[in-house]
Amino acid sequence: MYSENKADSCSTCPVGFFTTGGTATTRTSCYECPAGSACSTGSTSATECSPGTYQSSGGQSTCDDCAAGSFKDSSGAGTCSACTAGNYCPA
């Protein structure tokens, strides 16, 4: 929730955006969720994509699974890496 220009009522940030800091009445803006993370409606922070998932675009509500033959072993990925020869990377 945030209050635009000290409005009488608070608004909820839309899907793909978040607001941060202060309280609902002192927050004044929504920020686009960055690549490598996802934001549901009303988010107060961006949630990093978990290992095995990625999000290459900003402003998204979900992270996508890495495709078969690729992987990501850390959080906050904007891309997945190709599985190297001799390794198994299931979907």
Side-chain angles (χ1 to χ4, degrees):
M1 301 290 288
Y2 72 103
S3 174
E4 194 170 288
N5 296 322
K6 299 187 180 188
D8 292 333
S9 62
C10 295
S11 300
T12 300
C13 290
V15 168
F17 290 80
F18 70 98
T19 188
T20 186
T23 66
T25 56
T26 61
R27 295 178 199 134
T28 59
S29 301
C30 290
Y31 304 96
E32 184 177 82
C33 196
S37 62
C39 299
S40 59
T41 301
S43 292
T44 56
S45 65
T47 302
E48 287 188 334
C49 295
S50 5
T53 66
Y54 75 102
Q55 183 46 259
S56 58
S57 301
Q60 302 300 308
S61 61
T62 60
C63 296
D64 299 318
D65 291 333
C66 291
S70 64
F71 75 100
K72 188 42 101 178
D73 57 3
S74 60
S75 312
T79 61
C80 294
S81 301
C83 193
T84 55
N87 290 296
Y88 175 68
C89 298

